[in-house]
Amino acid sequence: MSLSSTTTTCTSLLQELQIIWDEIGEGYSERDKMLLELEQECLEIYNKKVEKTRKHRAELQRSLAQSEAEIASLMSSLGEQVSFSRKEGSLKEQITSVKPVLEELIVKKDVRWREISETVMEIAEISSNIAGNDCPPLSSIDESDLTKRKLDELRSHLQDLRNEKVVRLQKVNSYISAVHELSETLSFDFSKALSNVHKSLTGVSKSISNDTLARLTELVESLKKEKRQRLLKLQGLGRTMQELWSLMETPTDERRRFDNLSILLSDGALGKGCLGLDIVREAEDEVKRLNALKSSKMKELVLKRHCELDEICREVHMDFNSDAARQSLIDVIDSGDADLSDILACLDAQIEKAKQEALSRKEILDKVDKLKHAKEEEKWLDDYEKDENRFSAVRGAHKNLKRAEKARSLISKIPAMIDGLTNKVKAWEKERGVPFLCDKHPLLQTLEEEIVLRAQREEEKRQFREQKRLQGQLATEKEAKYGSKSAKKKPLGQSLNTDNVTKTPLGRRIGTTPGRSGVKDNRESGRGNATAIPLNYVALQKED
């Protein structure tokens, strides 16, 4: 309603009131009094309205100031500067222009607070896990510092804690895997061992505290130490067991249940449960049983060891008075004055020494065996060449011819074999300072005697060849003086083709080694008496 219309209404009402007063006959004093009351009542109404309006203005001013202060506080807390311009105009217009800025900052504050809160809670949780606390402490957030720099610092710290958590979790899992492998080898309760360290290690969420890592490290080290101790113990028991088995000649069937110990002795892969306490106790019981059995069979074992020593010495031709030593050993055992274990240990030491000595003599004895074989072939060849029917067409003749060829080649190497063997024996004796005995005789002396004998035989062969050469010359002179006898007729049916069957091939005649005493040179004497030459005769090369 406009002011003019309001004035008109008030005027019309006053006019109407005057008319009514006139009709009533109201006095002027009463009329003035009533008009004064109306003015007072209107004034009070106006005052109330003005006061109310003033209060509303003050509230708007206060709201605007609070909004501006809150904007300043939020910008300080968030570390952000927001530029906004207050509009010129009424308070409501100014409030309307500030409100969107304030709402935007409030949203940013809520988001920033939630991010910082989540980060702080995760930091507290990981820190609690590392410290070994079951419940993380309640962390308060300073709302006066919700800057992006603060959030970045917290996130960086959180990332460091996450990395440390991953590293610690890897260590824990590595320790758990090591405990599991050791539990399979040592045969103990894997879950119980982990629960003794921390009950969470058997679940999904595992403890990664310093105390847990330290206790896991201690557990793994103690289990590895126990593994080494059991392994060394079982290896020692295994070696002792094998020695006792060898002494007792224990059947293979009885040994088979301890095949796992052979793997331990050969440093093979450790199988499941191979180092369990039951395996250790079983091995200990077996060693005790074998030791008890060994005590009852000690005399038999000592004599068996003596026989073993005798066999080693005999195989390598070492000087060992077996009968006297055996009788002396029996006398000592029967007297009961000596400890059979000491005697057995002494015999073992002698056997070991004999084996080492045999190993040092092996090369020389191998050469001695080769020399003996060559001399045997030499003797066979001498006998073979003295046989006038060696070229007869009989079964096996070609095998003897081949053997003779090989024998001649081998015999030609005898001087070099003797020289090489002599040098080896001298080097051996120089190194040890003792003579090399073979069947109680110095081998070097035997070789020297062999050299002398071979020289004598060569001289005899040379004289024999010279004598044959002179006989051949006399036969030639006689043939030249008196002439040769006429050849006899061959029997009917005999053909020259027999030469293809009975004669030695040309290559074999050429390859025949000269110098054998049993070969006769008939090429010269055969010219005087053709009938004396058989059809299967093989002419050999004349010796010088």
Side-chain angles (χ1 to χ4, degrees), residues 138-360:
L138 297 177
S139 301
S140 59
I141 300 175
D142 184 9
E143 295 190 5
S144 64
D145 188 3
L146 299 177
T147 61
K148 187 69 167 58
R149 181 179 59 82
K150 179 67 174 180
L151 179 60
D152 292 340
E153 290 177 356
L154 290 173
R155 284 177 173 175
S156 177
H157 182 45
L158 176 60
Q159 188 60 43
D160 293 339
L161 289 176
R162 285 174 176 172
N163 294 337
E164 184 177 357
K165 179 180 179 180
V166 170
V167 172
R168 287 172 174 263
L169 192 58
Q170 289 175 349
K171 288 183 179 180
V172 169
N173 291 330
S174 175
Y175 284 133
I176 291 175
S177 299
V179 173
H180 183 264
E181 292 178 2
L182 291 167
S183 69
E184 290 189 344
T185 304
L186 299 176
S187 295
F188 63 85
D189 191 344
F190 167 68
S191 299
K192 184 177 180 181
L194 291 182
S195 298
N196 292 335
V197 175
H198 198 279
K199 60 183 180 180
S200 67
L201 296 179
T202 56
V204 177
S205 179
K206 299 177 177 60
S207 173
I208 57 173
S209 65
N210 293 330
D211 181 64
T212 301
L213 286 173
R215 295 181 67 181
L216 279 173
T217 303
E218 183 180 358
L219 174 62
V220 171
E221 290 299 326
S222 64
L223 290 176
K224 287 182 177 179
K225 183 178 179 181
E226 179 68 18
K227 176 184 174 181
R228 287 192 295 269
Q229 291 176 350
R230 290 191 192 180
L231 179 60
L232 291 175
K233 187 171 185 178
L234 280 174
Q235 286 177 341
L237 291 172
R239 283 189 286 268
T240 303
M241 201 179 298
Q242 288 186 347
E243 292 174 0
L244 292 172
W245 280 339
S246 300
L247 288 175
M248 311 297 175
E249 296 183 352
T250 305
T252 306
D253 294 338
E254 295 184 16
R255 303 184 188 187
R256 189 167 290 120
R257 62 192 182 100
F258 293 98
D259 287 343
N260 56 336
L261 294 182
S262 302
I263 299 176
L264 300 181
L265 292 176
S266 61
D267 294 331
L270 299 180
K272 185 176 181 180
C274 64
L275 297 181
L277 286 176
D278 54 338
I279 301 296
V280 176
R281 296 191 188 100
E282 189 176 0
E284 289 175 341
D285 294 340
E286 179 66 10
V287 170
K288 290 179 182 178
R289 184 186 73 83
L290 292 174
N291 280 326
L293 185 61
K294 173 185 173 182
S295 300
S296 62
K297 290 188 175 183
M298 188 60 73
K299 180 178 179 180
E300 179 183 348
L301 292 174
V302 169
L303 295 177
K304 186 179 295 185
R305 276 287 187 269
H306 180 269
C307 292
E308 183 179 350
L309 178 61
D310 181 31
E311 180 66 21
I312 293 173
C313 294
R314 187 169 61 253
E315 286 180 355
V316 294
H317 306 280
M318 291 170 59
D319 186 15
F320 183 67
N321 193 348
S322 175
D323 296 336
R326 182 181 181 85
Q327 186 59 45
S328 175
L329 190 60
I330 292 174
D331 294 340
V332 172
I333 294 173
D334 293 339
S335 66
D337 296 334
D339 187 358
L340 296 184
S341 298
D342 294 339
I343 296 175
L344 189 62
C346 181
L347 284 173
D348 288 336
Q350 293 181 17
I351 289 173
E352 185 64 26
K353 183 178 179 181
K355 288 181 178 178
Q356 294 177 359
E357 184 75 11
L359 187 62
S360 68

Side-chain angles (χ1 to χ4, degrees), residues 357 361 425-437 442:
E357 184 75 11
R361 295 165 61 93
V425 173
K426 288 180 178 179
W428 189 94
E429 292 181 350
K430 182 179 180 181
E431 180 182 355
R432 289 165 177 75
V434 294
F436 189 100
L437 299 180

Side-chain angles (χ1 to χ4, degrees), residues 427-467:
W428 189 94
E429 292 181 350
K430 182 179 180 181
E431 180 182 355
R432 289 165 177 75
V434 294
F436 189 100
L437 299 180
C438 184
D439 296 330
K440 300 183 180 181
H441 296 288
L443 180 58
L444 195 58
Q445 181 181 348
T446 304
L447 292 174
E448 292 173 352
E449 294 173 355
E450 176 66 20
I451 292 173
V452 173
L453 291 175
R454 292 192 66 82
Q456 291 177 357
R457 286 200 295 270
E458 289 298 328
E459 181 61 23
E460 292 175 358
K461 292 177 182 178
R462 189 189 66 77
Q463 293 177 1
F464 181 76
R465 288 195 298 270
E466 183 64 22
Q467 182 180 359

